[in-house]
Structures are given as structure tokens and as C-alpha cells.
Amino acid sequence: MSPLVSVVAPIYNEGPGVDRFVHRLGQVLGEAGLRYELVLVDDGSADDSWVRIVQHTLADDRVRGIQLSRNFGKEPAVLAGLEHAAGDVVVVIDSDLQHPPSAIPAMVQRWRDGAHVVEAVKRNRTGQGLIGRLGGRLFNRAFTGLTKVDLVNATDFRLLSRPALDALLLLPEHSSFFRGTSSWIGFRRTTVEVDIDQREGGASRWTFGALFRLAVNGLTSFTSAPLHLVTLVGLAFAGFSVLLGAQTLIRWVRGGSLAGFPTVILVLLVMGTFVLLGLGVIGEYLARIHEEVRGRPRYLVQEKSARAVAEVPEQLVADRK
Ligand code: UDP
Ligand code: MG
């Protein structure tokens, strides 16, 4: 039997986009002659996305739906899909058609050629304002530099073989960061280039706050460099204060001036800033530890929808042949 390809897609308030997505995937995968299943994860949408997903699962037994009990965010949604995927190989893709489904057959081919992880990297970067683009660039560079996990031009559009997926699912962290963890596991990997399309319908689900959280999560889960930075800055300040202290003492002994308020103010400001920043950095790590220690499940499933093959009426099966 030919291998089963699981396509995992997180869905949050995509509305009619759900139909477009399912249709497009059916088309592409059908044409490529791949045996596949679609795992659609409704990340607590407030619109009719779930109803649409259920309709698709009823019409086509290759489609499976999982509904999370609330909006957990894209990362947990992807994780839920991955844990429910049954395929020999799984592809994670955005449901807004920004990741071109037409790239999937090529990715599967790479897998057949022996790769365990196939990453789609972007040739371009559309659908984002200048600030978003700059921010993305900066973050990616800083992240790559600090963590040695290459994120430049990376996307969440990835294929994982069953062994790679099983390895990924072994990682226990609460706030997972798919792009990072799927690089961290290693495995023989390769890339395919894709053009990231404009979003079809709706606006990006990312707010600045959500992106900031993602960045902080990514950093704190992959490196403790910011903590070391705090230590380094502290050391630098120690050296600086020895010098400044010596100078002040000498002046005092010599009965020098009482002037120097600007210096006092400056030193206080700079010190205060760094102390607070340092505390903030430590706080972020502490928050992470707190989160991990609580050990809550990373997502909760409210409902699943998949039609057992036995339930499909004879007529439907006959129609499809
Ligand atoms: N998404 C999700 N939960 C969220 C936000 C987004 O499942 O809380 C899904 C969304 O439906 C889409 C994918 O994640 O399939 C990427 O979201 P979006 O297009 O908003 O992000 P961007 O493309 O701007 O990175
Ligand atoms: Mg998008």
C-alpha cells in the first residue's frame, strides 16, 4: 500500500477559508495521486469554522476534525494535530493558503528520496508591512545567533517523517515552538523553496502582543543567553563602580568638590534600568519554569469528528469510485 500522508492544519476563525482550503488540498493531493488524510484542528474558533469542518468530515472520510475547547494558539493547535496524525509522514501547513499546497508533492518526493524533515523556505515574504518584515528579520537573526537553530526564512510549513515526528512528540515542554523544536531534533533534513502567497480572506491572526510572546517563548525555550547577559552586564557594572568609587574617594580625601549631581542622576538611571531589565529577564525564565512545573496539558480536545469508514453509505462509496 502506498504511504499515508497526514496533512495537519490549524484553523482559527477562517470561515469560508476552510472550504477553499479543503478543496484546494483535495485537488493538489488527488492530482499527485497521494493517499492522504486531512487533520483539521479548530483552535476554538468563534465563527462557523467547526461546522464547516464537520461537514467536510461527513462528506469525505479522509478528513478528520479536532476541536480544541478554546483558543489555545497556533502552536498547541499544531501539536494537537500532530498527536492525532496517523500518517507515515506528516505535513504541517497554514489553513489560510499562504503556504502553497502545490509544494506538498515535491516535499513528499524529498521524503521518498530519504529526508526526514523537509522545510519549505520562503523565496519572498509578502503580506506583511515593513515593520513586520523588519521585525521578523531582526528576530530571526537574533534567534539564529543565540540558539544555533536556523530560523532565517523558515516557515512552519514542514514535512516530518514518522521517526522525526515521534522524536518531536517526545519533547515535553509546555510552550512548544514548532519551528524551533522541529529543527532541534536534528534528523536528515532538506529544504524546498516556496512562494508565500498573500492571505486569502481575513487578516493575519497575529497581534503585536502575540508575536512578542512567541518571540519570548522561542528565546526562553532555546537559550539561556539572556541570563548570561545579565551576569555579564552586572560584571561590567562592578568594574565600573570600582573605578567610580575610587575616583570619588580620592576626591573626598582631597576635600574636593561637592558638585556631581548629573553624574549621580545618570548612574542611578542607568543602574535602575539594568536592574529592572535584569529582573525582567529572570522573571521570564521564572515564568517559564512555573508554567512547566504546573504541568497542565498543552491543549484540551472538546470534540472530534471523523467518520468511520463503515458508516459511509454504500451509495456515497459507489459515487466516489
Ligand atoms: N491560527 C490558529 N490559532 C491562533 C492563530 C492562528 O490556529 O490562535 C492558525 C490560522 O488559522 C492559520 C495559521 O494559524 O491557519 C497561521 O495564522 P495567521 O495566518 O494568522 O499567521 P501568519 O500567516 O500571519 O503568520
Ligand atoms: Mg497566514
Side-chain angles (χ1 to χ4, degrees):
M1 192 133 68
S2 61
L4 178 68
V5 179
S6 295
V7 177
V8 169
I11 293 177
Y12 183 50
N13 291 347
E14 297 289 350
V18 175
D19 304 336
R20 273 200 297 267
F21 178 73
V22 174
H23 183 71
R24 186 90 187 85
L25 268 150
Q27 229 177 4
V28 168
L29 298 173
E31 270 169 25
L34 293 169
R35 200 163 69 87
Y36 70 93
E37 66 165 359
L38 258 181
V39 184
L40 304 177
V41 185
D42 173 23
D43 186 17
S45 297
D47 65 357
D48 60 353
S49 293
W50 179 242
V51 179
R52 287 172 193 269
I53 293 172
V54 171
Q55 278 164 359
H56 285 294
T57 64
L58 293 179
D60 185 343
D61 53 8
R62 289 172 300 187
V63 181
R64 292 162 57 201
I66 299 162
Q67 186 188 34
L68 303 190
S69 61
R70 63 174 169 83
N71 180 234
F72 278 86
K74 180 179 176 184
E75 297 289 333
V78 166
L79 197 76
L82 289 176
E83 285 187 345
H84 286 84
D88 302 298
V89 55
V90 359
V91 177
V92 175
I93 186 171
D94 278 5
S95 58
D96 58 1
L97 289 177
Q98 273 188 291
H99 296 159
S102 52
I104 295 180
M107 293 167 83
V108 172
Q109 189 50 48
R110 294 298 170 91
W111 169 69
R112 288 211 166 101
D113 294 344
H116 279 282
V117 181
V118 184
E119 301 166 27
V121 295
K122 41 196 162 226
R123 218 176 272 143
N124 61 340
R125 195 179 173 94
T126 52
Q128 275 191 325
L130 182 67
I131 299 202
R133 244 184 353 243
L134 268 180
R137 260 256 152 68
L138 263 179
F139 173 62
N140 278 338
R141 288 243 178 276
F143 194 94
T144 313
L146 284 173
T147 61
K148 310 283 178 276
V149 172
D150 185 9
L151 290 187
V152 180
N153 293 326
T155 59
D156 281 345
F157 187 14
R158 284 175 183 209
L159 171 148
L160 298 176
S161 68
R162 177 48 63 177
L165 173 61
D166 286 342
L168 183 81
L169 294 180
L170 285 180
L171 303 190
E173 54 259 68
H174 188 275
S175 30
S176 72
F177 182 57
F178 180 64
R179 239 182 266 186
T181 46
S182 59
S183 294
W184 181 87
I185 53 170
F187 283 86
R188 203 156 47 235
R189 52 187 53 242
T190 181
T191 55
V192 292
E193 281 201 335
V194 298
D195 288 312
I196 301 299
D197 295 324
Q198 296 280 358
R199 197 173 214 292
E200 288 201 25
S204 173
R205 302 291 181 266
W206 290 107
T207 56
F208 179 75
L211 271 181
F212 185 73
R213 278 256 50 94
L214 184 76
V216 172
N217 263 348
L219 275 179
T220 49
S221 61
F222 276 94
T223 174
S224 35
L227 283 176
H228 301 311
L229 200 69
V230 173
T231 316
L232 284 183
V233 171
L235 278 179
F237 264 106
F240 180 63
S241 26
V242 167
L243 287 182
L244 203 68
Q247 192 219 24
T248 312
L249 260 184
I250 291 168
R251 271 206 191 165
W252 181 64
V253 169
R254 283 188 185 162
S257 68
L258 278 176
F261 271 114
T263 324
V264 171
I265 293 172
L266 271 181
V267 168
L268 270 181
L269 281 181
V270 176
M271 281 262 289
T273 310
F274 277 105
V275 166
L276 285 181
L277 273 182
L279 276 180
V281 169
I282 293 167
E284 285 299 334
Y285 281 89
L286 200 66
R288 252 195 96 75
I289 294 171
H290 180 226
E291 188 123 294
E292 300 294 337
V293 163
R294 272 193 307 196
R296 292 198 182 156
R298 297 183 274 192
Y299 61 87
L300 294 170
V301 174
Q302 169 163 289
E303 224 173 282
K304 290 183 195 179
S305 173
R307 164 177 237 175
V309 183
E311 283 173 34
V312 183
E314 294 292 316
Q315 194 51 45
L316 248 173
V317 176
D319 281 352
R320 217 179 290 138
K321 276 182 185 151

